Amino acid sequence: MNILDIIEKKEKGENLSKEEIEYVINEFLAGNIKDYQMSAFLTEIDLLGLSEEETINLTDIMLNSGEKIKLDISPIVDKHSTGGVGDKTTIVLAPLVASLGVNVAKMSGRGLGHTGGTIDKLESIEGFHTEMSLEKFENQVKEIGIALVGQMGNLVPADKKIYALRDVTGTVDSIPLIASSIMSKKLASGADSIVIDLKVGNGALVNSLEEAKELGNLMVKIGKMNGKKTACVLTNMDEPLGLAVGNALEVKESIDALNGKGPKDLEDLVIELGGLMVSFGKNISIEEAKTQVRETLYNGKAYEKFKEWVRAQGGNIDKLEIGPNQKEIKSKETGYIQKINALEIGKLARKLGAGRLTKEDIINPKVGIVLNHKVGDYVKEGETLLTVYYDDKIITDEEILESITITKEEVSKPKLIIDIIK
Ligand code: URA
């Protein structure tokens, strides 16, 4: 077997056997297949796709490329988001479902590009740390039902190496490559059930509904084939989720949501995803699970669990700094908000220092943007559209106003939950 024959076989439109895919992944990991050869292989997959069977085999090979976590705890439910602007859902969901007796033992990432990472957001709480040994991780889940770490162990090394190459070769947006990357990591981290929030829209990895459905169906199939209860919720990411974009600002908004005072779209999403997680974890109906989720958002239990979690990971919730400067941006028109461009808002928040352009960039946790309105709202000229929280970097009013479109015609509110694949 050699990489050239395999690339040529794929080029002719033929399907690869499991052995051939295994050869490519293992030899790439061993350094015998060079980056330029792997780039050609990945580009071919990006252009020509993979069959369902090839994708399932690729996922399995990636999953088996490293360690797998097996905790002596049940039930454990994992949640994954494909990433969006203002997506602080995990910070609300994890303590919420843990407060209902469903364990969350989660690995999360840092942000790169225009979307933020959960780890960066949580680290805006002074003292909060996300590095711990597997033993401490397991003990914390046993004690309080929740632990969240960055990387741990040598899980799916194939994904680390392949993703780094995809990132610089324009092959991130391939459906089979996304499905195998996400699912190999979810399967390696040892949860019994997996709920995926698949964002669709201009601020998301996947822009078209058709592609999102294909990806969702594929991931659910892979999860179930591996014996996991799996669901994928397709959600709108044309406008930011909630109102806050920026690390400490998003934690503040999460605290509001944990006290039943969050923005409606964030709360709706938390109830939908939380309902699935609790239904999987406790083996109860979705409706019963959603009732429990709603109750715990309003009776203070979810927030109590959040405080317990923050304390367990060394954080001081009273030390959450924002700003230090703020500036209100006023509307120049009267009318209905037609569009709040999630991608642009994400990029503007990054320009303020809330995100990274390269892995080496240092985040300023205090800065960001807080919207006053969502798509469909009516605003008057001179009314505050949003507040910019800034420190040493600034953005112009024009840049911000360009990301928001206002029209005279009435605009209906976009649907947040587009589809649920189970
Ligand atoms: N998130 C992942 O973990 N992998 C991808 O390929 C895309 C998003």
Side-chain angles (χ1 to χ4, degrees), residues 80 163 166 172 177-178 181-182 185 205:
H80 181 83
Y163 198 90
R166 285 171 60 204
V172 167
L177 294 180
I178 299 174
S181 162
I182 292 177
K185 284 179 292 195
L205 187 63

Side-chain angles (χ1 to χ4, degrees), residues 27-42:
E27 292 299 304
F28 176 58
L29 263 182
N32 299 328
I33 289 178
K34 303 296 171 204
D35 279 5
Y36 52 85
Q37 294 170 313
M38 193 63 178
S39 301
F41 181 70
L42 294 170

Side-chain angles (χ1 to χ4, degrees), residues 15 62-63 97 136 153 198 279 286 312 333 342 362 388 393:
N15 285 351
M62 286 171 62
L63 166 65
V97 305
K136 163 99 180 39
L198 175 47
S279 154
I286 297 272
E333 297 163 72
I362 294 171
V388 177
K393 296 182 185 129

Side-chain angles (χ1 to χ4, degrees), residues 214-285:
E214 187 188 336
L215 177 59
N217 277 308
L218 201 48
M219 291 194 290
V220 169
K221 183 157 193 180
I222 294 171
K224 286 186 181 168
M225 282 181 68
N226 282 276
K228 313 286 179 190
K229 294 179 195 168
T230 312
C232 184
V233 183
L234 271 49
T235 65
N236 175 30
M237 189 29 77
D238 280 329
E239 65 176 330
L241 180 68
L243 298 166
V245 180
N247 301 281
L249 293 164
E250 292 190 41
V251 172
K252 262 178 112 262
E253 186 167 270
S254 304
I255 292 173
D256 291 343
L258 282 159
N259 285 296
K261 294 180 195 142
K264 179 160 184 331
D265 60 339
L266 175 60
E267 183 171 310
D268 287 350
L269 183 59
V270 161
I271 291 170
E272 200 65 50
L273 298 173
L276 282 162
M277 291 169 83
V278 171
S279 154
F280 281 165
K282 293 178 133 181
N283 240 329
I284 57 175
S285 74

